[in-house]
Amino acid sequence: MKFNKTIFNTITIVGTQWGDEGKGKVVHFLSRDADYIVRYQGGNNAGHTIVIDGKEYILHLIPAGILEHKKCIIANGVVIDPKALFNEIKFLEKKGFYIKNNLFISDLAHVILPYHKYLDTIKETTQKIGTTQKGIGPCYGDMYSRSGIRICDYLENDTFEELIEKNLKEKYPLIKKFVNVNDLKRYIFKEQKKFSKFIKPYVANTTNLLLDLIYKNKKIIFESAQGTLLDVNFGTYPYVTSSHPISGGVSTGTGIPPFYINKIVGIAKAYTTRVGEGPFPTELEEKDQTFLRTQGKEYGATTGRPRRCGWFDAVIVKHAIKINGITELILTKLDCLKNINPLKICIAYKYKNKLLTEFPASRKLQKYVTPVYVQTEGFSQDIRGITKYCDLPKNVKNYVRLIEKYCQKEIKMISLGRDRNETIFK
Ligand code: IMP
């Protein structure tokens, strides 16, 4: 995985499943060679776990490159909870990471406010999506319905107060069972006083900054959160997040023209997981999920919820390869499949005796399709610590080959453990 010196020095990292594919580790790995790492969508619903020398770091908003002391950007497509950002910066500073001149926040990013979280909770009672309850959907909802509050508004006291009055007129009747309006206002203004002062030094026109960096041929990683199947347009709607984790999201999420996004790396876990509600064709029966969940430590990094586990699904990964224009594929957590025999890969779906090779748009089909599997022998060896592809056991290589065959894409890199050193190039 190298920066593309001949054209533009950008790499976009996307998830090919329902998130939690191990993007954090890959971004951290690649950021050693990068100058800037950019988050372009989502918010603190994300949880990127990175392990350095056995120490675990979970980041929600700030790109994983910060752990390599690289410069990081939170671009306009991200929704920012000021308190979550404050806590994350403080956490990193305590761990000895330098943030001051290394973090830039877009003045156009939208702000998550306490009422968004109440609205998230209320919405879950009428339409259960299994959200992270971080206010993500309601905040993006405000952005699209033109009542959102951006970082630049948050920094202007009078603008902010005016916008809060307007928003509360509209939203308070919905949330009044949770909180008294005056208490809520007092709380919001008190937080804004504290956090706007804190955030201000980091705020910039990040589009101009990025364009300037691109002209200077700097190496930039665009890091997505969540995964393609959680994309609000191309995922399992309505069981999705409210942003665009796909490569197309980079352009609107940062303000840079699409032709700068030409190297797109897709991350696929060697099996499939999802958190929250929604269709999952290759989901294992509950009793069979426990082994994989334990072996893969499949618990949400943000909410701690157990992740639903299932077989590798080539139909969704092919869908992701197409939608994102993935140029290279990375396979993660292959080591977690140890002692599972046989291993299965879903290569198509069946619905009423009809074979489907494309991921269907219909929510009914997504729910009721049955997967068509190929199977192959599993492995019982501990493959962590292996550093060369040729040294992997035969059955592991067979499994990788089958994934390549049914996804019609070569796998360039394989992750065999949580540490950055547990990575092999193929
Ligand atoms: P929201 O993004 O909190 O609105 O949640 C919408 C859906 O996306 C829910 O099913 C969440 O579990 C899922 N989701 C959000 N962020 C992540 C993530 O980082 N990894 C996996 N699933 C996520």
Side-chain angles (χ1 to χ4, degrees):
M1 214 58 49
K2 294 248 159 57
F3 281 92
N4 206 342
K5 292 217 169 58
T6 50
I7 318 175
F8 306 110
N9 272 328
T10 72
I11 294 180
T12 297
I13 310 280
V14 293
T16 61
Q17 294 152 325
W18 279 281
D20 308 314
E21 297 93 350
K23 294 180 294 293
K25 173 187 162 170
V26 175
V27 171
H28 178 236
F29 184 91
L30 295 176
S31 58
R32 210 169 15 185
D33 293 331
D35 297 305
Y36 279 76
I37 300 90
V38 185
R39 254 295 287 281
Y40 63 89
Q41 49 71 232
N44 61 320
N45 48 350
H48 291 162
T49 308
I50 301 109
V51 179
I52 308 173
D53 300 330
K55 270 195 229 144
E56 186 179 277
Y57 300 87
I58 298 176
L59 299 178
H60 301 286
L61 269 170
I62 302 178
I66 206 79
L67 303 177
E68 278 298 301
H69 309 280
K70 294 296 167 112
K71 297 208 184 284
C72 292
I73 295 175
I74 298 178
N76 59 278
V78 178
V79 285
I80 299 175
D81 180 334
K83 189 173 183 178
L85 180 68
F86 174 86
N87 287 339
E88 196 157 306
I89 292 174
K90 289 286 168 205
F91 162 79
L92 286 167
E93 281 178 342
K94 231 188 230 160
K95 299 272 174 201
F97 294 96
Y98 180 71
I99 316 293
K100 266 274 141 51
N101 295 320
N102 280 351
L103 181 66
F104 303 86
I105 297 168
S106 169
D107 51 1
L108 294 178
H110 279 247
V111 179
I112 298 176
L113 290 152
Y115 49 77
H116 291 129
K117 287 178 246 179
Y118 291 127
L119 291 168
D120 208 350
T121 306
I122 291 171
K123 181 89 189 192
E124 281 288 290
T125 61
T126 53
Q127 186 191 31
K128 189 151 174 54
I129 300 293
T131 74
T132 57
Q133 305 273 298
K134 303 285 178 192
I136 307 293
C139 184
Y140 278 115
D142 271 3
M143 175 173 100
Y144 284 107
S145 61
R146 293 161 298 204
S147 38
I149 297 181
R150 302 160 306 165
I151 290 285
C152 56
D153 305 318
Y154 193 70
L155 299 186
E156 285 175 13
N157 290 341
D158 48 351
T159 308
F160 182 70
E161 279 175 29
E162 197 183 306
L163 291 173
I164 286 294
E165 292 294 344
K166 260 195 204 153
N167 267 289
L168 285 183
K169 232 180 239 152
E170 180 189 303
K171 293 172 175 76
Y172 187 66
L174 296 169
I175 59 174
K176 62 182 180 199
K177 72 170 182 192
F178 290 102
V179 67
N180 169 284
V181 71
N182 291 324
D183 290 346
L184 180 61
K185 256 192 230 171
R186 226 173 291 125
Y187 181 75
I188 289 176
F189 292 139
K190 191 171 150 217
E191 283 211 321
Q192 183 258 356
K193 284 217 165 60
K194 175 175 172 188
F195 297 134
S196 62
K197 224 181 270 158
F198 178 80
I199 288 172
K200 200 172 177 185
Y202 299 102
V203 177
N205 177 333
T206 53
T207 303
N208 281 354
L209 172 64
L210 274 168
L211 287 171
D212 191 46
L213 293 168
I214 289 171
Y215 297 143
K216 288 181 179 146
N217 222 20
K218 294 282 182 205
K219 301 187 192 103
I220 302 166
I221 294 175
F222 295 104
E223 168 191 315
S224 95
Q226 293 87 43
T228 303
L229 273 294
L230 287 173
D231 183 275
V232 67
N233 278 127
F234 297 100
T236 42
Y237 191 86
Y239 301 98
V240 290
T241 192
S242 301
S243 66
H244 294 289
I246 57 169
S247 59
V250 173
S251 191
T252 53
T254 63
I256 66 157
F259 51 79
Y260 292 129
I261 303 142
N262 55 5
K263 187 160 192 146
I264 299 149
V265 178
I267 316 297
K269 187 146 57 179
Y271 47 97
T272 315
T273 60
R274 88 169 288 178
V275 208
E277 306 297 311
F280 182 177
T282 63
E283 184 170 18
L284 285 159
E285 280 193 34
E286 182 52 41
K287 65 176 173 38
D288 299 325
Q289 293 192 26
T290 318
F291 185 76
L292 192 50
R293 186 179 295 132
T294 309
Q295 207 151 258
K297 295 194 171 65
E298 295 296 351
Y299 293 89
T302 300
T303 58
R305 291 179 289 176
R307 295 180 186 139
R308 298 157 63 191
C309 298
W311 298 115
F312 186 90
D313 185 344
V315 180
I316 64 162
V317 175
K318 255 192 336 193
H319 172 71
I321 290 170
K322 187 170 65 181
I323 298 299
N324 290 287
I326 286 169
T327 51
E328 8 218 311
L329 201 57
I330 292 180
L331 195 65
T332 60
K333 302 188 88 164
L334 188 54
D335 55 302
C336 302
L337 291 175
K338 183 181 151 186
N339 290 331
I340 299 176
N341 199 19
L343 292 171
K344 291 188 186 180
I345 294 170
C346 166
I347 57 167
Y349 303 141
K350 254 195 177 161
Y351 182 73
K352 291 190 175 163
N353 285 331
K354 230 175 127 186
L355 196 69
L356 307 175
T357 51
E358 292 273 330
F359 193 72
S362 153
R363 51 184 102 187
K364 186 171 77 185
L365 261 65
Q366 286 175 8
K367 187 169 173 189
Y368 292 113
V369 288
T370 47
V372 178
Y373 290 111
V374 290
Q375 66 180 54
T376 181
E377 223 174 293
F379 59 95
S380 54
Q381 300 92 328
D382 192 358
I383 57 175
R384 286 180 79 165
I386 293 180
T387 52
K388 285 197 207 117
Y389 184 71
C390 57
D391 294 339
L392 285 173
K394 184 177 100 249
N395 290 353
V396 178
K397 283 193 278 199
N398 269 344
Y399 184 70
V400 172
R401 236 175 275 142
L402 282 176
I403 290 181
E404 289 180 320
K405 177 177 168 188
Y406 290 107
C407 292
Q408 292 158 15
K409 198 91 211 158
E410 198 191 334
I411 291 163
K412 289 281 174 71
M413 198 169 114
I414 299 174
S415 167
L416 296 176
R418 305 175 87 203
D419 209 274
R420 69 188 292 164
N421 302 323
E422 297 173 302
T423 310
I424 45 181
F425 287 90
K426 202 166 139 268

